[in-house]
mmCIF file of all heavy atoms in Angstrom:
data_model
loop_
_atom_site.group_PDB
_atom_site.id
_atom_site.type_symbol
_atom_site.label_atom_id
_atom_site.label_comp_id
_atom_site.label_asym_id
_atom_site.label_seq_id
_atom_site.Cartn_x
_atom_site.Cartn_y
_atom_site.Cartn_z
ATOM 1 N N ILE A 160 -40.189 -40.360 4.734
ATOM 2 C CA ILE A 160 -40.962 -39.603 5.733
ATOM 3 C C ILE A 160 -40.110 -38.443 6.210
ATOM 4 O O ILE A 160 -38.984 -38.658 6.668
ATOM 5 C CB ILE A 160 -41.294 -40.494 6.961
ATOM 6 C CG1 ILE A 160 -41.913 -41.813 6.530
ATOM 7 C CG2 ILE A 160 -42.189 -39.749 7.935
ATOM 8 C CD1 ILE A 160 -41.774 -42.913 7.588
ATOM 9 N N ARG A 161 -40.645 -37.245 6.119
ATOM 10 C CA ARG A 161 -39.902 -36.095 6.628
ATOM 11 C C ARG A 161 -40.554 -35.553 7.894
ATOM 12 O O ARG A 161 -41.725 -35.180 7.890
ATOM 13 C CB ARG A 161 -39.849 -34.982 5.581
ATOM 14 C CG ARG A 161 -39.143 -33.743 6.112
ATOM 15 C CD ARG A 161 -39.166 -32.586 5.142
ATOM 16 N NE ARG A 161 -38.761 -31.388 5.853
ATOM 17 C CZ ARG A 161 -37.900 -30.486 5.412
ATOM 18 N NH1 ARG A 161 -37.357 -30.621 4.222
ATOM 19 N NH2 ARG A 161 -37.596 -29.439 6.124
ATOM 20 N N GLY A 162 -39.771 -35.541 8.978
ATOM 21 C CA GLY A 162 -40.201 -34.853 10.194
ATOM 22 C C GLY A 162 -39.619 -33.457 10.138
ATOM 23 O O GLY A 162 -40.142 -32.550 9.497
ATOM 24 N N GLY A 163 -38.451 -33.277 10.778
ATOM 25 C CA GLY A 163 -37.765 -31.980 10.734
ATOM 26 C C GLY A 163 -36.688 -31.918 9.662
ATOM 27 O O GLY A 163 -36.046 -30.879 9.489
ATOM 28 N N GLY A 164 -36.443 -33.026 8.956
ATOM 29 C CA GLY A 164 -35.486 -33.031 7.841
ATOM 30 C C GLY A 164 -34.026 -32.975 8.254
ATOM 31 O O GLY A 164 -33.155 -32.751 7.414
ATOM 32 N N HIS A 165 -33.703 -33.218 9.540
ATOM 33 C CA HIS A 165 -32.321 -33.028 9.996
ATOM 34 C C HIS A 165 -31.454 -34.285 9.935
ATOM 35 O O HIS A 165 -30.280 -34.229 10.312
ATOM 36 C CB HIS A 165 -32.302 -32.461 11.420
ATOM 37 C CG HIS A 165 -32.315 -30.966 11.434
ATOM 38 N ND1 HIS A 165 -33.356 -30.235 10.899
ATOM 39 C CD2 HIS A 165 -31.426 -30.057 11.887
ATOM 40 C CE1 HIS A 165 -33.088 -28.945 11.034
ATOM 41 N NE2 HIS A 165 -31.921 -28.806 11.629
ATOM 42 N N SER A 166 -31.990 -35.405 9.491
ATOM 43 C CA SER A 166 -31.139 -36.604 9.384
ATOM 44 C C SER A 166 -29.947 -36.261 8.498
ATOM 45 O O SER A 166 -30.126 -35.848 7.346
ATOM 46 C CB SER A 166 -31.965 -37.742 8.777
ATOM 47 O OG SER A 166 -31.211 -38.496 7.867
ATOM 48 N N VAL A 167 -28.722 -36.421 9.025
ATOM 49 C CA VAL A 167 -27.550 -36.093 8.198
ATOM 50 C C VAL A 167 -27.439 -37.057 7.032
ATOM 51 O O VAL A 167 -26.871 -36.727 5.996
ATOM 52 C CB VAL A 167 -26.230 -36.047 9.006
ATOM 53 C CG1 VAL A 167 -26.157 -34.821 9.856
ATOM 54 C CG2 VAL A 167 -26.018 -37.294 9.826
ATOM 55 N N LYS A 170 -32.297 -39.180 5.013
ATOM 56 C CA LYS A 170 -33.286 -40.238 4.791
ATOM 57 C C LYS A 170 -34.717 -39.716 4.611
ATOM 58 O O LYS A 170 -35.606 -40.483 4.264
ATOM 59 C CB LYS A 170 -33.250 -41.232 5.953
ATOM 60 C CG LYS A 170 -31.932 -41.975 6.086
ATOM 61 C CD LYS A 170 -31.740 -42.924 4.937
ATOM 62 C CE LYS A 170 -30.518 -43.796 5.139
ATOM 63 N NZ LYS A 170 -30.273 -44.708 4.027
ATOM 64 N N SER A 171 -34.942 -38.452 4.848
ATOM 65 C CA SER A 171 -36.309 -37.931 4.733
ATOM 66 C C SER A 171 -36.720 -37.632 3.295
ATOM 67 O O SER A 171 -37.889 -37.372 3.027
ATOM 68 C CB SER A 171 -36.463 -36.676 5.589
ATOM 69 O OG SER A 171 -35.556 -35.688 5.157
ATOM 70 N N LEU A 181 -44.306 -34.245 6.977
ATOM 71 C CA LEU A 181 -45.124 -34.014 8.172
ATOM 72 C C LEU A 181 -44.937 -32.609 8.731
ATOM 73 O O LEU A 181 -45.552 -32.253 9.738
ATOM 74 C CB LEU A 181 -44.744 -35.034 9.255
ATOM 75 C CG LEU A 181 -44.801 -36.507 8.837
ATOM 76 C CD1 LEU A 181 -44.198 -37.394 9.922
ATOM 77 C CD2 LEU A 181 -46.241 -36.930 8.550
ATOM 78 N N THR A 200 -46.112 -34.550 14.797
ATOM 79 C CA THR A 200 -44.712 -34.870 14.516
ATOM 80 C C THR A 200 -44.016 -33.927 13.530
ATOM 81 O O THR A 200 -42.895 -34.190 13.118
ATOM 82 C CB THR A 200 -44.615 -36.338 14.037
ATOM 83 O OG1 THR A 200 -45.709 -36.623 13.163
ATOM 84 C CG2 THR A 200 -44.676 -37.274 15.213
ATOM 85 N N GLY A 221 -33.288 -32.533 21.921
ATOM 86 C CA GLY A 221 -31.880 -32.386 21.546
ATOM 87 C C GLY A 221 -31.344 -31.021 21.931
ATOM 88 O O GLY A 221 -31.869 -30.366 22.845
ATOM 89 N N THR A 222 -30.318 -30.556 21.223
ATOM 90 C CA THR A 222 -29.638 -29.319 21.612
ATOM 91 C C THR A 222 -29.634 -28.246 20.524
ATOM 92 O O THR A 222 -29.007 -27.205 20.707
ATOM 93 C CB THR A 222 -28.182 -29.620 22.015
ATOM 94 O OG1 THR A 222 -27.540 -30.275 20.918
ATOM 95 C CG2 THR A 222 -28.100 -30.504 23.243
ATOM 96 N N VAL A 223 -30.290 -28.510 19.389
ATOM 97 C CA VAL A 223 -30.382 -27.487 18.328
ATOM 98 C C VAL A 223 -31.863 -27.328 17.982
ATOM 99 O O VAL A 223 -32.545 -28.305 17.649
ATOM 100 C CB VAL A 223 -29.554 -27.891 17.084
ATOM 101 C CG1 VAL A 223 -29.783 -26.933 15.931
ATOM 102 C CG2 VAL A 223 -28.063 -27.924 17.439
ATOM 103 N N THR A 226 -34.120 -28.802 14.920
ATOM 104 C CA THR A 226 -34.245 -30.255 14.700
ATOM 105 C C THR A 226 -35.692 -30.691 14.924
ATOM 106 O O THR A 226 -36.393 -30.130 15.769
ATOM 107 C CB THR A 226 -33.333 -31.006 15.716
ATOM 108 O OG1 THR A 226 -32.099 -30.321 15.812
ATOM 109 C CG2 THR A 226 -33.087 -32.432 15.315
ATOM 110 N N GLY A 227 -36.135 -31.725 14.208
ATOM 111 C CA GLY A 227 -37.507 -32.202 14.363
ATOM 112 C C GLY A 227 -37.650 -33.093 15.593
ATOM 113 O O GLY A 227 -36.777 -33.918 15.869
ATOM 114 N N SER A 229 -39.647 -35.540 15.897
ATOM 115 C CA SER A 229 -40.008 -36.946 15.645
ATOM 116 C C SER A 229 -38.817 -37.814 15.302
ATOM 117 O O SER A 229 -38.602 -38.854 15.915
ATOM 118 C CB SER A 229 -41.115 -37.060 14.609
ATOM 119 O OG SER A 229 -40.767 -36.500 13.390
ATOM 120 N N GLY A 230 -37.991 -37.404 14.326
ATOM 121 C CA GLY A 230 -36.811 -38.212 14.004
ATOM 122 C C GLY A 230 -35.918 -38.331 15.224
ATOM 123 O O GLY A 230 -35.402 -39.411 15.533
ATOM 124 N N LEU A 231 -35.742 -37.228 15.931
ATOM 125 C CA LEU A 231 -34.871 -37.226 17.113
ATOM 126 C C LEU A 231 -35.375 -38.207 18.172
ATOM 127 O O LEU A 231 -34.630 -39.033 18.695
ATOM 128 C CB LEU A 231 -34.777 -35.809 17.696
ATOM 129 C CG LEU A 231 -33.951 -35.681 18.975
ATOM 130 C CD1 LEU A 231 -32.874 -34.611 18.852
ATOM 131 C CD2 LEU A 231 -34.835 -35.370 20.172
ATOM 132 N N LEU A 233 -37.641 -40.743 17.903
ATOM 133 C CA LEU A 233 -37.742 -42.153 17.480
ATOM 134 C C LEU A 233 -36.367 -42.810 17.434
ATOM 135 O O LEU A 233 -36.240 -44.030 17.534
ATOM 136 C CB LEU A 233 -38.426 -42.244 16.108
ATOM 137 C CG LEU A 233 -39.876 -41.727 16.071
ATOM 138 C CD1 LEU A 233 -40.426 -41.738 14.650
ATOM 139 C CD2 LEU A 233 -40.770 -42.558 16.988
ATOM 140 N N GLY A 236 -32.656 -39.341 21.178
ATOM 141 C CA GLY A 236 -32.802 -37.991 21.720
ATOM 142 C C GLY A 236 -31.944 -37.732 22.938
ATOM 143 O O GLY A 236 -32.401 -37.850 24.077
ATOM 144 N N TRP A 237 -30.665 -37.402 22.675
ATOM 145 C CA TRP A 237 -29.730 -37.008 23.751
ATOM 146 C C TRP A 237 -29.802 -35.492 23.883
ATOM 147 O O TRP A 237 -29.665 -34.778 22.883
ATOM 148 C CB TRP A 237 -28.303 -37.434 23.361
ATOM 149 C CG TRP A 237 -27.236 -37.046 24.351
ATOM 150 C CD1 TRP A 237 -26.736 -37.809 25.351
ATOM 151 C CD2 TRP A 237 -26.527 -35.793 24.432
ATOM 152 N NE1 TRP A 237 -25.766 -37.120 26.050
ATOM 153 C CE2 TRP A 237 -25.615 -35.883 25.506
ATOM 154 C CE3 TRP A 237 -26.575 -34.602 23.696
ATOM 155 C CZ2 TRP A 237 -24.767 -34.834 25.868
ATOM 156 C CZ3 TRP A 237 -25.738 -33.553 24.065
ATOM 157 C CH2 TRP A 237 -24.841 -33.679 25.147
ATOM 158 N N GLY A 282 -36.145 -45.580 14.768
ATOM 159 C CA GLY A 282 -36.311 -44.575 13.707
ATOM 160 C C GLY A 282 -37.642 -44.778 13.007
ATOM 161 O O GLY A 282 -38.643 -45.096 13.638
ATOM 162 N N GLY A 283 -37.660 -44.621 11.696
ATOM 163 C CA GLY A 283 -38.920 -44.726 10.956
ATOM 164 C C GLY A 283 -39.179 -46.109 10.396
ATOM 165 O O GLY A 283 -39.930 -46.261 9.427
ATOM 166 N N GLY A 286 -43.305 -47.532 10.859
ATOM 167 C CA GLY A 286 -44.506 -46.816 10.425
ATOM 168 C C GLY A 286 -44.297 -45.317 10.465
ATOM 169 O O GLY A 286 -43.213 -44.842 10.814
ATOM 170 N N VAL A 287 -45.354 -44.580 10.095
ATOM 171 C CA VAL A 287 -45.286 -43.116 10.146
ATOM 172 C C VAL A 287 -45.947 -42.676 11.448
ATOM 173 O O VAL A 287 -47.161 -42.851 11.630
ATOM 174 C CB VAL A 287 -46.040 -42.463 8.971
ATOM 175 C CG1 VAL A 287 -45.758 -40.956 8.954
ATOM 176 C CG2 VAL A 287 -45.685 -43.102 7.645
ATOM 177 N N VAL A 288 -45.168 -42.114 12.343
ATOM 178 C CA VAL A 288 -45.706 -41.673 13.632
ATOM 179 C C VAL A 288 -46.351 -40.303 13.431
ATOM 180 O O VAL A 288 -45.722 -39.375 12.902
ATOM 181 C CB VAL A 288 -44.593 -41.632 14.703
ATOM 182 C CG1 VAL A 288 -45.120 -41.069 16.012
ATOM 183 C CG2 VAL A 288 -44.029 -43.035 14.910
ATOM 184 N N PHE A 394 -25.171 -24.061 13.204
ATOM 185 C CA PHE A 394 -25.754 -25.031 12.265
ATOM 186 C C PHE A 394 -26.802 -24.398 11.340
ATOM 187 O O PHE A 394 -27.957 -24.835 11.320
ATOM 188 C CB PHE A 394 -26.387 -26.196 13.048
ATOM 189 C CG PHE A 394 -25.390 -26.962 13.863
ATOM 190 C CD1 PHE A 394 -25.225 -26.705 15.220
ATOM 191 C CD2 PHE A 394 -24.593 -27.932 13.275
ATOM 192 C CE1 PHE A 394 -24.296 -27.397 15.981
ATOM 193 C CE2 PHE A 394 -23.657 -28.633 14.023
ATOM 194 C CZ PHE A 394 -23.505 -28.372 15.374
ATOM 195 N N TRP A 464 -18.020 -34.115 13.410
ATOM 196 C CA TRP A 464 -19.194 -33.497 12.771
ATOM 197 C C TRP A 464 -18.680 -32.369 11.870
ATOM 198 O O TRP A 464 -18.424 -31.266 12.329
ATOM 199 C CB TRP A 464 -20.137 -32.949 13.847
ATOM 200 C CG TRP A 464 -21.510 -32.648 13.349
ATOM 201 C CD1 TRP A 464 -21.867 -31.671 12.452
ATOM 202 C CD2 TRP A 464 -22.722 -33.322 13.704
ATOM 203 N NE1 TRP A 464 -23.225 -31.706 12.226
ATOM 204 C CE2 TRP A 464 -23.776 -32.706 12.980
ATOM 205 C CE3 TRP A 464 -23.018 -34.386 14.560
ATOM 206 C CZ2 TRP A 464 -25.102 -33.124 13.105
ATOM 207 C CZ3 TRP A 464 -24.342 -34.792 14.665
ATOM 208 C CH2 TRP A 464 -25.362 -34.160 13.939
ATOM 209 N N TYR A 496 -24.673 -44.354 17.404
ATOM 210 C CA TYR A 496 -25.957 -43.681 17.628
ATOM 211 C C TYR A 496 -26.516 -43.359 16.231
ATOM 212 O O TYR A 496 -26.005 -42.486 15.537
ATOM 213 C CB TYR A 496 -25.721 -42.427 18.463
ATOM 214 C CG TYR A 496 -26.962 -41.595 18.719
ATOM 215 C CD1 TYR A 496 -28.234 -42.154 18.654
ATOM 216 C CD2 TYR A 496 -26.862 -40.246 19.028
ATOM 217 C CE1 TYR A 496 -29.365 -41.395 18.886
ATOM 218 C CE2 TYR A 496 -27.992 -39.473 19.265
ATOM 219 C CZ TYR A 496 -29.235 -40.055 19.195
ATOM 220 O OH TYR A 496 -30.365 -39.305 19.415
ATOM 221 N N ASN A 498 -28.908 -41.719 15.034
ATOM 222 C CA ASN A 498 -29.315 -40.353 14.696
ATOM 223 C C ASN A 498 -28.160 -39.502 14.180
ATOM 224 O O ASN A 498 -28.383 -38.464 13.583
ATOM 225 C CB ASN A 498 -29.924 -39.668 15.926
ATOM 226 C CG ASN A 498 -31.425 -39.902 16.029
ATOM 227 O OD1 ASN A 498 -31.999 -40.616 15.213
ATOM 228 N ND2 ASN A 498 -32.054 -39.318 17.027
ATOM 229 N N TYR A 499 -26.910 -39.918 14.456
ATOM 230 C CA TYR A 499 -25.766 -39.133 13.986
ATOM 231 C C TYR A 499 -25.094 -39.750 12.768
ATOM 232 O O TYR A 499 -24.059 -39.255 12.327
ATOM 233 C CB TYR A 499 -24.711 -39.006 15.094
ATOM 234 C CG TYR A 499 -25.124 -38.197 16.302
ATOM 235 C CD1 TYR A 499 -24.355 -38.192 17.450
ATOM 236 C CD2 TYR A 499 -26.276 -37.430 16.295
ATOM 237 C CE1 TYR A 499 -24.721 -37.449 18.564
ATOM 238 C CE2 TYR A 499 -26.655 -36.697 17.407
ATOM 239 C CZ TYR A 499 -25.876 -36.711 18.541
ATOM 240 O OH TYR A 499 -26.253 -35.979 19.641
ATOM 241 N N MET A 534 -36.540 -46.035 3.837
ATOM 242 C CA MET A 534 -35.675 -44.853 3.819
ATOM 243 C C MET A 534 -35.327 -44.519 5.272
ATOM 244 O O MET A 534 -35.906 -43.617 5.892
ATOM 245 C CB MET A 534 -36.392 -43.663 3.153
ATOM 246 C CG MET A 534 -36.479 -43.745 1.653
ATOM 247 S SD MET A 534 -34.870 -43.716 0.820
ATOM 248 C CE MET A 534 -34.325 -42.041 1.136
ATOM 249 N N ASN A 535 -34.414 -45.299 5.822
ATOM 250 C CA ASN A 535 -34.009 -45.164 7.224
ATOM 251 C C ASN A 535 -32.773 -46.047 7.380
ATOM 252 O O ASN A 535 -32.340 -46.674 6.421
ATOM 253 C CB ASN A 535 -35.137 -45.626 8.166
ATOM 254 C CG ASN A 535 -35.830 -46.869 7.653
ATOM 255 O OD1 ASN A 535 -35.178 -47.850 7.312
ATOM 256 N ND2 ASN A 535 -37.158 -46.849 7.569
HETATM 257 C C1 FAD B 74 -27.684 -29.624 13.599
HETATM 258 C C2 FAD B 74 -28.091 -30.920 14.231
HETATM 259 C C3 FAD B 74 -28.088 -31.042 15.612
HETATM 260 C C4 FAD B 74 -28.475 -32.222 16.234
HETATM 261 N N1 FAD B 74 -28.452 -32.313 17.592
HETATM 262 C C5 FAD B 74 -28.858 -33.455 18.201
HETATM 263 C C6 FAD B 74 -28.878 -33.570 19.616
HETATM 264 O O1 FAD B 74 -28.518 -32.658 20.341
HETATM 265 N N2 FAD B 74 -29.309 -34.730 20.155
HETATM 266 C C7 FAD B 74 -29.705 -35.790 19.398
HETATM 267 O O2 FAD B 74 -30.078 -36.822 19.947
HETATM 268 N N3 FAD B 74 -29.697 -35.703 18.048
HETATM 269 C C8 FAD B 74 -29.280 -34.567 17.441
HETATM 270 N N4 FAD B 74 -29.243 -34.496 16.077
HETATM 271 C C9 FAD B 74 -29.565 -35.681 15.294
HETATM 272 C C10 FAD B 74 -31.076 -35.782 15.120
HETATM 273 O O3 FAD B 74 -31.614 -36.447 16.230
HETATM 274 C C11 FAD B 74 -31.391 -36.592 13.873
HETATM 275 O O4 FAD B 74 -30.863 -35.930 12.766
HETATM 276 C C12 FAD B 74 -32.895 -36.804 13.706
HETATM 277 O O5 FAD B 74 -33.068 -37.746 12.692
HETATM 278 C C13 FAD B 74 -33.602 -35.526 13.357
HETATM 279 O O6 FAD B 74 -34.975 -35.694 13.284
HETATM 280 P P1 FAD B 74 -35.814 -34.950 12.148
HETATM 281 O O7 FAD B 74 -37.243 -35.244 12.356
HETATM 282 O O8 FAD B 74 -35.381 -33.526 12.078
HETATM 283 O O9 FAD B 74 -35.200 -35.658 10.875
HETATM 284 P P2 FAD B 74 -35.789 -36.293 9.536
HETATM 285 O O10 FAD B 74 -34.625 -36.232 8.603
HETATM 286 O O11 FAD B 74 -37.053 -35.697 9.110
HETATM 287 O O12 FAD B 74 -36.019 -37.785 9.981
HETATM 288 C C14 FAD B 74 -34.989 -38.644 10.387
HETATM 289 C C15 FAD B 74 -35.394 -40.102 10.168
HETATM 290 O O13 FAD B 74 -36.544 -40.376 10.957
HETATM 291 C C16 FAD B 74 -37.648 -40.704 10.123
HETATM 292 N N5 FAD B 74 -38.820 -39.993 10.646
HETATM 293 C C17 FAD B 74 -38.926 -38.668 10.929
HETATM 294 N N6 FAD B 74 -40.140 -38.402 11.406
HETATM 295 C C18 FAD B 74 -40.820 -39.569 11.423
HETATM 296 C C19 FAD B 74 -42.122 -39.939 11.815
HETATM 297 N N7 FAD B 74 -42.968 -39.037 12.306
HETATM 298 N N8 FAD B 74 -42.502 -41.223 11.702
HETATM 299 C C20 FAD B 74 -41.639 -42.150 11.235
HETATM 300 N N9 FAD B 74 -40.379 -41.857 10.841
HETATM 301 C C21 FAD B 74 -39.979 -40.586 10.944
HETATM 302 C C22 FAD B 74 -37.267 -40.206 8.741
HETATM 303 O O14 FAD B 74 -37.883 -40.919 7.726
HETATM 304 C C23 FAD B 74 -35.774 -40.415 8.730
HETATM 305 O O15 FAD B 74 -35.453 -41.748 8.440
HETATM 306 C C24 FAD B 74 -28.859 -33.317 15.435
HETATM 307 C C25 FAD B 74 -28.858 -33.202 14.037
HETATM 308 C C26 FAD B 74 -28.478 -32.021 13.440
HETATM 309 C C27 FAD B 74 -28.451 -31.927 11.943
#
Side-chain angles (χ1 to χ4, degrees):
I160 309 158
R161 177 184 167 135
H165 271 61
S166 140
V167 286
K170 296 291 187 182
S171 60
L181 306 171
T200 40
T222 57
V223 173
T226 318
S229 59
L231 177 127
L233 298 175
W237 178 95
V287 189
V288 175
F394 298 98
W464 196 293
Y496 177 23
N498 271 3
Y499 293 169
M534 284 297 292
N535 40 50

